Amino acid sequence: MTSQNFFERNQDVISVTSLNRMARDLLEAGLPPVWIGGEISNLTLAASGHAYFSLKDGGAQVRCVMFRHKLSQLPFRPQEGMQVELRGQVTLYEARGEFQINVGEMRAAGLGRLYEAFERLKAKLQAEGLFDTARKRELPAHPAAIGIVTSPAAAALRDVVSTLRRRMPGIPLILYPAQVQGEGSARQIADAVRTAGEREEVDVLIVCRGGGSIEDLWSFNEEIVARAVAACPIPTVSGVGHETDFTICDFVADRRAPTPTAAAELVSPNREHLAMQLEQTRRALERALSRLLTDKAQQLDFLGRRLTHPGAKLRTQADKLNALSQTLRQRVHGAFEQGRWRLQLASTRLARHQPDLAGQIQSLQQRQARLLRARDRLLERRAQQLARLEATLTALNPEAVLARGYAIVQKQNGQPVKSPAELLDHEKVTLRLAEGSVEARIEHAHGVQPELPF
């Protein structure tokens, strides 16, 4: 449905917000993103990081906004009066009803294709790992020779040479000449870098030229130069343009210097600094040597006081030997006398404690006789005691009682009977006699049966 049909069918009044929204939708749907060229004016860089400006030409202008995340991706900073080409979405800012462009890409006017080529090659080489930090090499601290790839007529060569002569004039410099601008310059630079790597005459190589426009520096953005620098066996330093200039050569080199002069400072030691270090080292060695000589002199004096004449030392040793010999004789004699005295003392004690064998034998015989007599008396007493016990046992033996005519009355279960009251009338009992047993029956007198105990 077109806007005309919409208004014909809807005669109600709409709000400004609705109108602006409809206008925005129509603009965004009807105009695709396009490249637009013009001059930047009224540039404002907000604290939020967004950029607000107008893009104008000789007959008109349009409001533009570039948000922070897009602005941060630009290889340059937009400036007032800069001729640029930008691509963005044509839209309407509803709150103020302002026609504007939301910028997504920007490039310097006339250089769009160069920037695009730059970014494509940069992405390609980065994907291959030519920019990786791991492949970067350390620069030699004290190079024996320094190589320079640049034009013999370039002002950058004079800056590099003067800096190296000032910092360390004794280092040889070898120039590998190459055209650094114009047609065929990229191949010359690549050939010069390969020549330096093949000759291996230097320890570090500077690839440099002075500042200029992007077209002037474009030779150092060519793939042939980047691959030659990356393949060079010598550590390389790229010093192309000014501090704000970046080239592909900067990314593949082992070190980037913001200027050719800075590149010369990176590869060369500072003579004044080395001289100062040498002077400090000399003073430290001088102090150490002075302390060493003082210590050795004191040690020599101490040893000199201890040093004596060999004859005097021999006499001292002889006196000491005589004293030791006399002491040894005295100690041997003393030990001998002490041993002899101990032997006499032991002999005396042995004689005093020598046993009387005859007396001991006699005493032993007497003790033996007493022991035999005591044994006989004991045996006699034990025999008498045994006889008495035997007579007592015989007297108490029940068999002996039965032999005198007595009998033992037992019930059928073998229990001895102690009282007639324990027996029933006509009860069978056993009479145990001295020479055997007989059965008997109980007959109570007058037929009376005693009461049984309960």
Side-chain angles (χ1 to χ4, degrees):
M1 180 185 299
T2 64
S3 59
Q4 182 178 0
N5 293 335
F6 176 82
F7 286 112
E8 289 177 353
R9 295 180 58 185
N10 296 276
Q11 299 299 322
D12 297 335
V13 177
I14 64 173
S15 66
V16 176
T17 301
S18 299
L19 176 63
N20 286 351
R21 183 174 295 115
M22 293 171 60
R24 183 200 65 186
D25 294 340
L26 289 173
L27 287 172
E28 292 180 356
L31 292 177
V34 292
W35 282 99
I36 309 167
E39 177 185 337
I40 294 177
S41 66
N42 301 319
L43 175 64
T44 300
L45 297 176
S48 60
H50 310 321
Y52 300 93
F53 58 94
S54 296
L55 186 67
K56 68 178 183 178
D57 58 18
Q61 66 177 7
V62 62
R63 292 293 299 171
C64 301
V65 59
M66 192 170 193
F67 295 108
R68 180 178 59 187
H69 66 285
K70 295 293 185 180
L71 185 64
S72 61
Q73 298 175 5
L74 293 181
F76 62 93
R77 297 293 290 176
Q79 297 180 4
E80 187 76 22
M82 179 181 288
Q83 293 290 332
V84 296
E85 297 172 353
L86 56 83
R87 183 174 187 269
Q89 177 66 57
V90 179
T91 184
L92 187 81
Y93 180 45
E94 295 181 34
R96 300 180 61 178
E98 291 183 352
F99 177 76
Q100 68 176 27
I101 299 174
N102 290 347
V103 181
E105 300 177 60
M106 180 186 295
R107 64 195 181 196
L111 302 178
R113 283 178 291 178
L114 290 180
Y115 279 116
E116 291 176 1
F118 177 89
E119 292 297 332
R120 283 197 302 270
L121 180 59
K122 179 181 176 183
K124 175 182 177 181
L125 299 181
Q126 186 171 13
E128 294 180 14
L130 268 62
F131 300 168
D132 292 349
T133 305
R135 63 174 298 277
K136 305 293 184 178
R137 293 163 293 187
E138 293 292 332
L139 303 181
H142 299 281
I146 299 174
I148 307 171
V149 175
T150 191
S151 171
L157 177 61
R158 293 192 297 273
D159 294 341
V160 170
V161 172
S162 62
T163 300
L164 293 176
R165 289 288 177 256
R166 172 175 51 81
R167 290 174 61 85
M168 188 58 67
I171 299 179
L173 305 180
I174 298 177
L175 175 64
Y176 300 93
Q179 183 180 343
V180 293
Q181 182 178 341
E183 185 178 357
S185 58
R187 180 167 296 279
Q188 291 188 30
I189 295 170
D191 291 341
V193 172
R194 281 193 287 267
T195 299
E198 292 170 358
R199 292 181 182 178
E200 296 183 347
E201 302 169 308
V202 295
D203 296 328
V204 64
L205 184 66
I206 298 175
V207 181
C208 65
R209 70 148 287 159
S213 64
I214 188 171
E215 295 96 334
D216 296 337
L217 305 180
W218 192 253
S219 299
F220 296 89
N221 289 323
E222 295 286 354
E223 184 173 359
I224 187 174
V225 173
R227 295 198 179 277
V229 172
C232 183
I234 303 171
T236 56
V237 177
S238 174
V240 179
H242 299 302
E243 186 171 358
T244 56
D245 297 323
F246 281 89
T247 64
I248 299 296
C249 183
D250 294 334
F251 295 114
V252 297
D254 295 299
R255 292 287 296 274
R256 173 192 179 265
T259 62
T261 301
E265 293 176 350
L266 279 176
V267 301
S268 62
N270 190 333
R271 179 179 59 176
E272 296 178 357
H273 180 66
L274 290 178
M276 182 177 63
Q277 288 184 331
L278 182 62
E279 178 62 20
Q280 292 175 350
T281 304
R282 185 193 65 78
R283 293 178 182 177
L285 287 175
E286 186 178 43
R287 291 192 297 270
L289 181 60
S290 177
R291 287 195 299 269
L292 179 63
L293 291 175
T294 301
D295 294 342
K296 294 302 182 182
Q298 293 178 352
Q299 186 177 4
L300 182 62
D301 292 339
F302 176 74
L303 293 175
R305 289 193 296 270
R306 295 179 56 189
L307 185 64
T308 57
H309 192 276
K313 191 170 184 179
L314 288 175
R315 287 193 295 272
T316 301
Q317 295 294 334
D319 295 340
K320 187 176 182 180
L321 180 61
N322 291 333
L324 291 174
S325 177
Q326 184 177 359
T327 300
L328 180 60
R329 286 196 297 270
Q330 291 175 352
R331 290 186 177 181
V332 170
H333 180 72
F336 177 75
E337 292 297 329
Q338 186 176 12
R340 186 173 61 177
W341 176 80
R342 289 181 177 178
L343 179 60
Q344 292 177 355
L345 180 62
S347 299
T348 302
R349 293 177 63 186
L350 181 61
R352 186 167 59 249
H353 293 86
Q354 186 174 5
D356 183 7
L357 295 180
Q360 294 294 333
I361 292 173
Q362 183 180 3
S363 175
L364 181 61
Q365 291 175 350
Q366 291 175 356
R367 292 180 181 179
Q368 184 180 10
R370 288 197 299 271
L371 182 60
L372 292 175
R373 288 193 297 272
R375 183 198 63 182
D376 294 341
R377 286 195 298 272
L378 179 61
L379 290 176
E380 184 178 355
R381 286 196 300 272
R382 291 290 186 267
Q384 292 175 0
Q385 184 178 4
L386 181 60
R388 287 195 299 271
L389 291 175
E390 184 179 2
T392 302
L393 182 61
T394 301
L396 297 176
N397 188 1
E399 299 293 337
V401 175
L402 295 177
R404 291 200 296 273
Y406 293 95
I408 298 175
V409 181
Q410 294 177 323
K411 291 186 177 185
Q412 292 298 311
N413 59 5
Q415 181 179 357
V417 178
K418 298 179 182 180
S419 171
E422 299 177 4
L423 299 174
L424 300 174
D425 192 21
H426 303 298
E427 183 180 355
K428 289 183 180 182
V429 293
T430 301
L431 299 180
R432 184 179 176 185
L433 305 176
E435 296 181 0
S437 299
V438 296
E439 298 291 333
R441 187 182 300 275
I442 300 300
E443 295 290 343
H444 289 286
H446 310 296
V448 178
Q449 183 174 347
E451 295 180 1
L452 295 177
F454 295 100

